[in-house]
Amino acid sequence: MSSEMMPAFIETSNVERKQDLSEDQEESQKPRLGEEFEPISKRQMKKLMKQKQWEEQRELRKQKRKEKRKRKQLERQCQLESNSDGNDRKRVRRGGVHSTLRLIIDCSFDSLMILKDIKKLHKQIQRCYAENRRALHPVQFYLTSHGGQLKKNMDESDKGWVNWKDIHIKPEHYSEFIKKEDLIYLTSDSPNVLKELDESKAYVIGGLVDHNHHKGLTYKQASDHGIDHAQLPLGNFVKMNSRKVLAINHVFEIILEYLETRDWQEAFFTILPQRKGAVPTDKLCENSSHDKKSTRVEGGLDSDSSEEETSRNELDSPHEEEKQDKENSTESIVNTVPNSMQWTGDD
């Protein structure tokens, strides 16, 4: 055999060998004599059909995702344009002057909360940050003892927190970098009632969402560390039908509002949600005096006179309402025990 025919002969042999191998594989895959096909159930058939359909629609789903992203981009762009008009709630700060008051959220209670409450705390911190950015007199905002479950949750669900501005986020306890004489712990269990805010002080809010499971804990911590403590003058201005429990962001926002208005009552009624059923205490006093006056007038009526009988009937309805208000007022006084006002995060 000549040298010119050798490569062609080798190539032909390789092709024949490959064909033989493929034929052997096909023969091995064919069912042997005596073997039976395994029957496929209807459920398996449906799964195979769905799998095939899912594969066929992959490109269609990809196209839909692209369209959805484009639509969201357009919506965000429209929202930014509307924000530029100043009509949206997320407005730019109104040229405010920074306050020197330091407001601290103490996050050292991480181990006392379950994940559900940690998530609530995270949301309330987000609200505090947003409100402080929009405030007329933003405070020096501190987040201390930051770590544990809270940090992990923020890393997973809100990675942008690392870019937050006008906030001091520290893993250390607040007592490590703020003088003890400058600290005032805000706790509803304190017998001291704030009259006004001292902007040279640092006020601490307990970052604890516990649904009143740990009553008096923040007060005990402040006392053990020898830190001054006080409560907001809520009872002096407000009577509420619901529990006197304020969320962390409510306490934070009330302080921001007070710095702007210098009026506690206005600050309370601007921030407190309507579901709390808040009523001014001066209105309760007016209702109480009106109730006594109505009682005296009714007692002096003569039942024999038809005109006076008509007057009595007209007085009956408001008198009952005023009596009910008086009873509610009594219940409020009984319920206004310091332990019933716990500024946990329970909203």
Side-chain angles (χ1 to χ4, degrees):
M1 185 179 292
S2 65
S3 59
E4 294 178 357
M5 295 181 65
M6 283 294 292
F9 175 75
I10 293 170
E11 186 177 352
T12 305
S13 299
N14 289 336
V15 171
E16 289 176 353
R17 189 180 294 111
K18 287 181 181 179
Q19 288 176 351
D20 291 340
L21 287 172
S22 62
E23 288 175 359
D24 291 340
Q25 289 176 354
E26 289 178 1
E27 287 294 333
S28 63
Q29 290 176 359
K30 288 181 181 180
R32 296 176 182 176
L33 293 174
E35 291 184 355
E36 296 180 357
F37 290 102
E38 286 189 13
I40 299 177
S41 66
K42 290 183 179 180
R43 182 176 296 179
Q44 289 174 329
M45 184 66 72
K46 285 181 180 179
K47 285 183 179 180
L48 291 173
M49 294 284 288
K50 285 182 179 179
Q51 180 68 20
K52 184 181 178 182
Q53 189 177 9
W54 188 85
E55 292 290 340
E56 290 174 351
Q57 294 179 351
R58 179 174 291 178
E59 289 298 323
L60 179 62
R61 289 195 303 275
K62 188 176 179 180
Q63 184 64 29
K64 285 184 177 180
R65 286 196 296 269
K66 285 183 179 180
E67 292 175 358
K68 188 176 180 180
R69 283 196 295 268
K70 288 181 180 180
R71 188 167 62 251
K72 284 188 175 182
Q73 287 176 356
L74 288 173
E75 287 175 0
R76 282 196 294 267
Q77 187 176 354
C78 293
Q79 189 176 6
L80 288 172
E81 291 175 357
S82 65
N83 289 350
S84 63
D85 298 333
N87 297 325
D88 193 82
R89 189 173 183 274
K90 292 184 179 180
R91 59 189 182 279
V92 181
R93 183 180 295 160
R94 299 165 293 173
V97 179
H98 283 74
S99 171
T100 56
L101 183 145
R102 288 160 289 178
L103 199 50
I104 303 165
I105 296 181
D106 175 19
C107 302
S108 62
F109 307 99
D110 191 88
S111 61
L112 299 177
M113 291 180 284
I114 61 175
L115 181 59
K116 179 180 177 182
D117 293 333
I118 289 288
K119 290 180 178 180
K120 287 183 179 180
L121 173 62
H122 178 201
K123 287 182 180 179
Q124 292 178 25
I125 290 171
Q126 286 177 318
R127 180 67 182 267
C128 294
Y129 171 74
E131 291 300 325
N132 194 51
R133 292 279 292 167
R134 290 196 292 262
L136 188 61
H137 299 294
V139 297
Q140 308 299 313
F141 187 11
Y142 286 81
L143 202 63
T144 63
S145 300
H146 183 251
Q149 295 182 88
L150 177 61
K151 184 178 183 299
K152 183 179 179 182
N153 185 72
M154 292 174 72
D155 287 336
E156 290 175 355
S157 61
D158 182 22
K159 295 181 180 179
W161 70 268
V162 295
N163 299 319
W164 284 1
K165 300 177 181 178
D166 300 328
I167 184 172
H168 309 278
I169 301 177
K170 297 181 176 291
E172 300 87 7
H173 193 264
Y174 56 85
S175 59
E176 296 183 26
F177 55 89
I178 297 180
K179 296 178 181 178
K180 184 182 290 187
E181 55 268 23
D182 290 344
L183 291 166
I184 298 177
Y185 213 113
L186 295 176
T187 168
S188 58
D189 299 300
S190 173
N192 307 321
V193 181
L194 278 179
K195 292 183 179 178
E196 58 183 5
L197 294 174
D198 184 350
E199 296 195 43
S200 66
K201 298 291 184 181
Y203 294 88
V204 185
I205 303 172
L208 177 61
V209 180
D210 70 336
H211 310 282
N212 278 343
H213 295 157
H214 302 282
K215 292 182 179 180
L217 182 62
T218 53
Y219 174 64
K220 183 179 183 301
Q221 187 179 90
S223 301
D224 291 346
H225 286 84
I227 298 170
D228 290 340
H229 46 77
Q231 62 170 288
L232 295 180
L234 187 67
N236 296 345
F237 298 93
V238 180
K239 179 257 178 182
M240 293 193 298
N241 293 331
S242 62
R243 292 185 306 155
K244 296 178 176 60
V245 179
L246 301 183
I248 295 164
N249 59 289
H250 289 156
V251 179
F252 196 101
E253 292 173 50
I254 286 168
I255 290 174
L256 290 177
E257 189 68 24
Y258 176 80
L259 290 174
E260 182 174 342
T261 63
R262 297 292 170 177
D263 186 327
W264 282 118
Q265 183 163 300
E266 185 175 345
F268 288 134
F269 284 95
T270 301
I271 302 303
L272 289 177
Q274 293 182 356
R275 65 177 179 276
K276 294 287 185 183
V279 178
T281 52
D282 53 3
K283 187 175 181 180
L284 288 175
C285 294
E286 290 176 6
N287 289 341
S288 179
S289 61
H290 181 64
D291 182 49
K292 291 179 181 179
K293 184 177 178 181
S294 300
T295 303
R296 289 198 301 269
V297 171
E298 185 179 2
L301 291 174
D302 184 3
S303 59
D304 294 334
S305 171
S306 60
E307 293 179 359
E308 291 172 349
E309 184 68 22
T310 303
S311 300
R312 183 186 292 109
N313 293 334
E314 292 174 353
L315 285 170
D316 280 344
S317 179
H319 177 62
E320 288 299 322
E321 292 177 1
E322 290 153 4
K323 185 176 179 181
Q324 184 65 35
D325 289 342
K326 192 173 181 181
E327 290 175 1
N328 291 340
S329 178
T330 305
E331 291 176 3
S332 174
I333 294 170
V334 173
N335 291 331
T336 311
V337 180
N339 286 340
S340 66
M341 291 174 56
Q342 179 78 18
W343 292 335
T344 66
D346 186 17
D347 190 7

PDB file of all heavy atoms in Angstrom, residues 168-187:
ATOM      1  N   HIS A 168     -25.022  58.418  63.031  1.00  0.00           N
ATOM      2  CA  HIS A 168     -23.826  57.782  63.574  1.00  0.00           C
ATOM      3  C   HIS A 168     -24.207  56.368  64.014  1.00  0.00           C
ATOM      4  O   HIS A 168     -24.914  56.201  65.012  1.00  0.00           O
ATOM      5  CB  HIS A 168     -23.280  58.578  64.765  1.00  0.00           C
ATOM      6  CG  HIS A 168     -23.102  60.040  64.476  1.00  0.00           C
ATOM      7  ND1 HIS A 168     -22.002  60.545  63.821  1.00  0.00           N
ATOM      8  CD2 HIS A 168     -23.906  61.112  64.739  1.00  0.00           C
ATOM      9  CE1 HIS A 168     -22.118  61.855  63.699  1.00  0.00           C
ATOM     10  NE2 HIS A 168     -23.271  62.223  64.243  1.00  0.00           N
ATOM     11  N   ILE A 169     -23.770  55.378  63.265  1.00  0.00           N
ATOM     12  CA  ILE A 169     -24.078  53.979  63.583  1.00  0.00           C
ATOM     13  C   ILE A 169     -22.831  53.345  64.186  1.00  0.00           C
ATOM     14  O   ILE A 169     -21.799  53.240  63.529  1.00  0.00           O
ATOM     15  CB  ILE A 169     -24.522  53.205  62.328  1.00  0.00           C
ATOM     16  CG1 ILE A 169     -25.770  53.872  61.715  1.00  0.00           C
ATOM     17  CG2 ILE A 169     -24.828  51.750  62.672  1.00  0.00           C
ATOM     18  CD1 ILE A 169     -26.257  53.228  60.440  1.00  0.00           C
ATOM     19  N   LYS A 170     -22.955  52.956  65.470  1.00  0.00           N
ATOM     20  CA  LYS A 170     -21.785  52.467  66.193  1.00  0.00           C
ATOM     21  C   LYS A 170     -22.065  51.123  66.861  1.00  0.00           C
ATOM     22  O   LYS A 170     -23.135  50.916  67.414  1.00  0.00           O
ATOM     23  CB  LYS A 170     -21.378  53.487  67.275  1.00  0.00           C
ATOM     24  CG  LYS A 170     -20.944  54.836  66.715  1.00  0.00           C
ATOM     25  CD  LYS A 170     -20.547  55.787  67.803  1.00  0.00           C
ATOM     26  CE  LYS A 170     -20.011  57.094  67.227  1.00  0.00           C
ATOM     27  NZ  LYS A 170     -18.710  56.921  66.552  1.00  0.00           N
ATOM     28  N   PRO A 171     -21.088  50.227  66.826  1.00  0.00           N
ATOM     29  CA  PRO A 171     -21.255  48.949  67.532  1.00  0.00           C
ATOM     30  C   PRO A 171     -21.082  49.091  69.046  1.00  0.00           C
ATOM     31  O   PRO A 171     -21.509  48.225  69.803  1.00  0.00           O
ATOM     32  CB  PRO A 171     -20.155  48.066  66.921  1.00  0.00           C
ATOM     33  CG  PRO A 171     -19.104  49.033  66.473  1.00  0.00           C
ATOM     34  CD  PRO A 171     -19.830  50.284  66.058  1.00  0.00           C
ATOM     35  N   GLU A 172     -20.455  50.197  69.490  1.00  0.00           N
ATOM     36  CA  GLU A 172     -20.212  50.402  70.913  1.00  0.00           C
ATOM     37  C   GLU A 172     -21.486  50.839  71.644  1.00  0.00           C
ATOM     38  O   GLU A 172     -22.413  51.374  71.052  1.00  0.00           O
ATOM     39  CB  GLU A 172     -19.125  51.466  71.138  1.00  0.00           C
ATOM     40  CG  GLU A 172     -17.777  51.133  70.530  1.00  0.00           C
ATOM     41  CD  GLU A 172     -17.661  51.566  69.082  1.00  0.00           C
ATOM     42  OE1 GLU A 172     -18.604  52.241  68.607  1.00  0.00           O
ATOM     43  OE2 GLU A 172     -16.660  51.236  68.417  1.00  0.00           O
ATOM     44  N   HIS A 173     -21.487  50.646  72.961  1.00  0.00           N
ATOM     45  CA  HIS A 173     -22.562  51.140  73.827  1.00  0.00           C
ATOM     46  C   HIS A 173     -22.417  52.649  73.963  1.00  0.00           C
ATOM     47  O   HIS A 173     -21.302  53.186  73.961  1.00  0.00           O
ATOM     48  CB  HIS A 173     -22.476  50.455  75.198  1.00  0.00           C
ATOM     49  CG  HIS A 173     -23.683  50.656  76.047  1.00  0.00           C
ATOM     50  ND1 HIS A 173     -23.756  51.646  77.009  1.00  0.00           N
ATOM     51  CD2 HIS A 173     -24.871  50.008  76.079  1.00  0.00           C
ATOM     52  CE1 HIS A 173     -24.939  51.588  77.612  1.00  0.00           C
ATOM     53  NE2 HIS A 173     -25.643  50.605  77.062  1.00  0.00           N
ATOM     54  N   TYR A 174     -23.549  53.345  74.081  1.00  0.00           N
ATOM     55  CA  TYR A 174     -23.508  54.819  74.115  1.00  0.00           C
ATOM     56  C   TYR A 174     -22.677  55.350  75.284  1.00  0.00           C
ATOM     57  O   TYR A 174     -22.104  56.441  75.222  1.00  0.00           O
ATOM     58  CB  TYR A 174     -24.928  55.394  74.186  1.00  0.00           C
ATOM     59  CG  TYR A 174     -25.755  54.890  75.355  1.00  0.00           C
ATOM     60  CD1 TYR A 174     -25.675  55.469  76.602  1.00  0.00           C
ATOM     61  CD2 TYR A 174     -26.620  53.818  75.189  1.00  0.00           C
ATOM     62  CE1 TYR A 174     -26.421  55.003  77.670  1.00  0.00           C
ATOM     63  CE2 TYR A 174     -27.369  53.328  76.249  1.00  0.00           C
ATOM     64  CZ  TYR A 174     -27.276  53.932  77.486  1.00  0.00           C
ATOM     65  OH  TYR A 174     -28.010  53.465  78.530  1.00  0.00           O
ATOM     66  N   SER A 175     -22.593  54.588  76.379  1.00  0.00           N
ATOM     67  CA  SER A 175     -21.854  55.054  77.564  1.00  0.00           C
ATOM     68  C   SER A 175     -20.349  55.107  77.320  1.00  0.00           C
ATOM     69  O   SER A 175     -19.617  55.718  78.098  1.00  0.00           O
ATOM     70  CB  SER A 175     -22.146  54.144  78.758  1.00  0.00           C
ATOM     71  OG  SER A 175     -21.766  52.794  78.483  1.00  0.00           O
ATOM     72  N   GLU A 176     -19.886  54.488  76.229  1.00  0.00           N
ATOM     73  CA  GLU A 176     -18.452  54.456  75.942  1.00  0.00           C
ATOM     74  C   GLU A 176     -17.940  55.737  75.296  1.00  0.00           C
ATOM     75  O   GLU A 176     -16.729  55.981  75.309  1.00  0.00           O
ATOM     76  CB  GLU A 176     -18.120  53.254  75.041  1.00  0.00           C
ATOM     77  CG  GLU A 176     -18.380  51.901  75.692  1.00  0.00           C
ATOM     78  CD  GLU A 176     -17.978  50.741  74.795  1.00  0.00           C
ATOM     79  OE1 GLU A 176     -17.080  50.945  73.942  1.00  0.00           O
ATOM     80  OE2 GLU A 176     -18.551  49.640  74.930  1.00  0.00           O
ATOM     81  N   PHE A 177     -18.836  56.550  74.719  1.00  0.00           N
ATOM     82  CA  PHE A 177     -18.350  57.763  74.040  1.00  0.00           C
ATOM     83  C   PHE A 177     -19.167  59.011  74.382  1.00  0.00           C
ATOM     84  O   PHE A 177     -18.902  60.081  73.838  1.00  0.00           O
ATOM     85  CB  PHE A 177     -18.332  57.562  72.518  1.00  0.00           C
ATOM     86  CG  PHE A 177     -19.643  57.129  71.923  1.00  0.00           C
ATOM     87  CD1 PHE A 177     -20.571  58.072  71.511  1.00  0.00           C
ATOM     88  CD2 PHE A 177     -19.950  55.781  71.786  1.00  0.00           C
ATOM     89  CE1 PHE A 177     -21.775  57.667  70.957  1.00  0.00           C
ATOM     90  CE2 PHE A 177     -21.143  55.373  71.236  1.00  0.00           C
ATOM     91  CZ  PHE A 177     -22.059  56.318  70.818  1.00  0.00           C
ATOM     92  N   ILE A 178     -20.143  58.889  75.284  1.00  0.00           N
ATOM     93  CA  ILE A 178     -20.907  60.061  75.739  1.00  0.00           C
ATOM     94  C   ILE A 178     -20.819  60.141  77.257  1.00  0.00           C
ATOM     95  O   ILE A 178     -20.997  59.130  77.949  1.00  0.00           O
ATOM     96  CB  ILE A 178     -22.380  59.986  75.285  1.00  0.00           C
ATOM     97  CG1 ILE A 178     -22.464  60.004  73.758  1.00  0.00           C
ATOM     98  CG2 ILE A 178     -23.185  61.153  75.864  1.00  0.00           C
ATOM     99  CD1 ILE A 178     -23.858  59.937  73.201  1.00  0.00           C
ATOM    100  N   LYS A 179     -20.553  61.323  77.769  1.00  0.00           N
ATOM    101  CA  LYS A 179     -20.416  61.513  79.214  1.00  0.00           C
ATOM    102  C   LYS A 179     -21.721  61.173  79.933  1.00  0.00           C
ATOM    103  O   LYS A 179     -22.802  61.481  79.450  1.00  0.00           O
ATOM    104  CB  LYS A 179     -20.029  62.958  79.512  1.00  0.00           C
ATOM    105  CG  LYS A 179     -18.666  63.360  78.965  1.00  0.00           C
ATOM    106  CD  LYS A 179     -18.379  64.813  79.264  1.00  0.00           C
ATOM    107  CE  LYS A 179     -17.032  65.250  78.694  1.00  0.00           C
ATOM    108  NZ  LYS A 179     -16.766  66.685  78.948  1.00  0.00           N
ATOM    109  N   LYS A 180     -21.594  60.573  81.099  1.00  0.00           N
ATOM    110  CA  LYS A 180     -22.766  60.153  81.867  1.00  0.00           C
ATOM    111  C   LYS A 180     -23.642  61.341  82.251  1.00  0.00           C
ATOM    112  O   LYS A 180     -24.872  61.248  82.234  1.00  0.00           O
ATOM    113  CB  LYS A 180     -22.319  59.404  83.133  1.00  0.00           C
ATOM    114  CG  LYS A 180     -23.456  58.833  83.950  1.00  0.00           C
ATOM    115  CD  LYS A 180     -22.963  58.156  85.219  1.00  0.00           C
ATOM    116  CE  LYS A 180     -22.235  56.868  84.891  1.00  0.00           C
ATOM    117  NZ  LYS A 180     -21.889  56.115  86.145  1.00  0.00           N
ATOM    118  N   GLU A 181     -23.009  62.475  82.565  1.00  0.00           N
ATOM    119  CA  GLU A 181     -23.785  63.657  82.980  1.00  0.00           C
ATOM    120  C   GLU A 181     -24.586  64.267  81.824  1.00  0.00           C
ATOM    121  O   GLU A 181     -25.499  65.077  82.066  1.00  0.00           O
ATOM    122  CB  GLU A 181     -22.877  64.715  83.605  1.00  0.00           C
ATOM    123  CG  GLU A 181     -21.708  65.159  82.735  1.00  0.00           C
ATOM    124  CD  GLU A 181     -20.441  64.351  82.975  1.00  0.00           C
ATOM    125  OE1 GLU A 181     -20.545  63.207  83.452  1.00  0.00           O
ATOM    126  OE2 GLU A 181     -19.353  64.880  82.665  1.00  0.00           O
ATOM    127  N   ASP A 182     -24.259  63.892  80.584  1.00  0.00           N
ATOM    128  CA  ASP A 182     -24.990  64.413  79.425  1.00  0.00           C
ATOM    129  C   ASP A 182     -26.185  63.531  79.040  1.00  0.00           C
ATOM    130  O   ASP A 182     -27.005  63.921  78.203  1.00  0.00           O
ATOM    131  CB  ASP A 182     -24.057  64.530  78.209  1.00  0.00           C
ATOM    132  CG  ASP A 182     -23.036  65.634  78.380  1.00  0.00           C
ATOM    133  OD1 ASP A 182     -23.227  66.493  79.261  1.00  0.00           O
ATOM    134  OD2 ASP A 182     -22.033  65.630  77.634  1.00  0.00           O
ATOM    135  N   LEU A 183     -26.273  62.337  79.630  1.00  0.00           N
ATOM    136  CA  LEU A 183     -27.282  61.364  79.218  1.00  0.00           C
ATOM    137  C   LEU A 183     -28.580  61.497  79.994  1.00  0.00           C
ATOM    138  O   LEU A 183     -28.588  61.717  81.211  1.00  0.00           O
ATOM    139  CB  LEU A 183     -26.739  59.946  79.400  1.00  0.00           C
ATOM    140  CG  LEU A 183     -25.604  59.517  78.465  1.00  0.00           C
ATOM    141  CD1 LEU A 183     -24.940  58.251  78.985  1.00  0.00           C
ATOM    142  CD2 LEU A 183     -26.149  59.286  77.054  1.00  0.00           C
ATOM    143  N   ILE A 184     -29.712  61.338  79.278  1.00  0.00           N
ATOM    144  CA  ILE A 184     -31.046  61.236  79.892  1.00  0.00           C
ATOM    145  C   ILE A 184     -31.779  60.115  79.179  1.00  0.00           C
ATOM    146  O   ILE A 184     -32.011  60.178  77.967  1.00  0.00           O
ATOM    147  CB  ILE A 184     -31.851  62.542  79.766  1.00  0.00           C
ATOM    148  CG1 ILE A 184     -31.144  63.686  80.494  1.00  0.00           C
ATOM    149  CG2 ILE A 184     -33.268  62.355  80.318  1.00  0.00           C
ATOM    150  CD1 ILE A 184     -31.837  65.035  80.362  1.00  0.00           C
ATOM    151  N   TYR A 185     -32.123  59.076  79.934  1.00  0.00           N
ATOM    152  CA  TYR A 185     -32.821  57.919  79.346  1.00  0.00           C
ATOM    153  C   TYR A 185     -34.323  58.179  79.378  1.00  0.00           C
ATOM    154  O   TYR A 185     -34.892  58.436  80.436  1.00  0.00           O
ATOM    155  CB  TYR A 185     -32.497  56.645  80.128  1.00  0.00           C
ATOM    156  CG  TYR A 185     -32.462  55.409  79.256  1.00  0.00           C
ATOM    157  CD1 TYR A 185     -31.279  54.717  79.036  1.00  0.00           C
ATOM    158  CD2 TYR A 185     -33.623  54.951  78.640  1.00  0.00           C
ATOM    159  CE1 TYR A 185     -31.242  53.585  78.232  1.00  0.00           C
ATOM    160  CE2 TYR A 185     -33.590  53.824  77.824  1.00  0.00           C
ATOM    161  CZ  TYR A 185     -32.396  53.147  77.626  1.00  0.00           C
ATOM    162  OH  TYR A 185     -32.383  52.041  76.815  1.00  0.00           O
ATOM    163  N   LEU A 186     -34.962  58.119  78.221  1.00  0.00           N
ATOM    164  CA  LEU A 186     -36.408  58.332  78.134  1.00  0.00           C
ATOM    165  C   LEU A 186     -37.120  57.005  78.398  1.00  0.00           C
ATOM    166  O   LEU A 186     -37.050  56.081  77.600  1.00  0.00           O
ATOM    167  CB  LEU A 186     -36.783  58.864  76.750  1.00  0.00           C
ATOM    168  CG  LEU A 186     -36.238  60.249  76.400  1.00  0.00           C
ATOM    169  CD1 LEU A 186     -36.608  60.616  74.970  1.00  0.00           C
ATOM    170  CD2 LEU A 186     -36.766  61.304  77.361  1.00  0.00           C
ATOM    171  N   THR A 187     -37.787  56.933  79.540  1.00  0.00           N
ATOM    172  CA  THR A 187     -38.527  55.732  79.909  1.00  0.00           C
ATOM    173  C   THR A 187     -39.800  56.128  80.636  1.00  0.00           C
ATOM    174  O   THR A 187     -39.782  57.002  81.505  1.00  0.00           O
ATOM    175  CB  THR A 187     -37.678  54.798  80.802  1.00  0.00           C
ATOM    176  OG1 THR A 187     -38.508  53.792  81.358  1.00  0.00           O
ATOM    177  CG2 THR A 187     -36.995  55.572  81.927  1.00  0.00           C
TER     178      THR A 187
END
